[in-house]
Amino acid sequence: MIEKHVPILGFCAWSGTGKTTLLRALLPLLVARGMRVAVVKHAHHKFDIDHPGKDSYALRKAGASQMLISSRRRMALMTEFERGRDEPRLSELLDRLDLQRADLILVEGFKHEHYPKIELHRPSLNKPLLFPDDPDVIAFASDAPIPESGTHLPGLDLNDPGQIADFIIGKIAGNADAPGFGRS
């Protein structure tokens, strides 16, 4: 189990379930409650945070293996890796965060790694449930009734970000030493 001195909570689901949509709704709710939230997101494909025509993009494309761009308001580090590199592990990415500036780390993806997660599920997508085979799932959020067979997890409404924010805050504030909620 990945543990840091800052609580870690992930959202795992099949593609198209709405992980990013939920995070976009949750972040302002958590920030309004005074939380400083860091986010780590897994991408399955090439991506750019900068765009053609920008200096940082041109310098990276020209051969910079690392491109750090910074201003008084923001900083981003792009690192180019050799072909054939394995997918980065979540722990490797967490080590790059400034944990002094975070009260909570939310993770999107990395569903096969060991850290506390809320599974998101939409039965209309006809995808299998993850939690029966993943002991790190601590809650289940769905847009339909949760299956009764073997479900011992707290159930949440996937379409109610306020309820999910309450659950997260409750786990952090009310029961900081709860098993399965990554702290060291």
Side-chain angles (χ1 to χ4, degrees):
M1 177 75 72
I2 296 171
E3 294 191 8
K4 295 287 182 192
H5 74 276
V6 175
I8 302 167
L9 178 63
F11 295 90
C12 62
W14 296 100
S15 180
T17 304
K19 297 180 297 290
T20 302
T21 300
L22 177 62
L23 281 172
R24 288 179 57 196
L26 270 176
L27 282 166
L29 298 173
L30 295 169
V31 169
R33 294 179 189 197
M35 301 291 299
R36 298 173 303 157
V37 184
V39 176
V40 176
K41 178 179 172 40
H42 183 262
H44 292 283
H45 43 75
K46 287 185 175 182
F47 65 94
D48 280 316
I49 62 167
D50 205 351
H51 305 283
K54 296 294 184 182
D55 292 345
S56 58
Y57 180 92
L59 294 169
R60 186 170 50 86
K61 289 297 185 180
S65 63
Q66 294 188 64
M67 180 63 222
L68 181 90
I69 183 167
S70 179
S71 72
R72 73 176 70 161
R73 297 203 36 129
R74 165 176 313 131
M75 178 179 70
L77 172 63
M78 291 290 291
T79 304
E80 298 293 325
F81 297 113
E82 301 291 324
R83 290 180 186 242
R85 181 181 189 271
D86 289 338
E87 286 286 329
R89 302 286 306 183
L90 178 57
S91 59
E92 176 186 340
L93 300 175
L94 293 173
D95 287 342
R96 294 181 180 262
L97 292 176
D98 179 355
L99 299 180
Q100 299 300 319
R101 299 174 45 91
D103 300 312
L104 172 65
I105 302 167
L106 295 180
V107 178
E108 180 183 333
F110 297 94
K111 67 183 169 201
H112 298 295
E113 295 210 35
H114 296 291
Y115 67 100
K117 304 167 208 145
I118 295 175
E119 178 176 352
L120 309 182
H121 185 72
R122 293 189 190 276
S124 62
L125 296 177
N126 294 317
K127 295 290 187 179
L129 295 168
L130 301 170
F131 78 84
D133 298 321
D134 187 344
D136 300 316
V137 173
I138 64 168
F140 184 91
S142 180
D143 63 350
I146 298 169
E148 291 296 323
S149 60
T151 304
H152 62 282
L153 300 171
L156 304 167
D157 182 345
L158 180 54
N159 296 318
D160 186 350
Q163 181 193 49
I164 297 171
D166 289 343
F167 175 82
I168 293 169
I169 296 292
K171 281 298 261 186
I172 293 170
N175 197 1
D177 295 323
F181 210 101
R183 277 188 192 263
S184 59

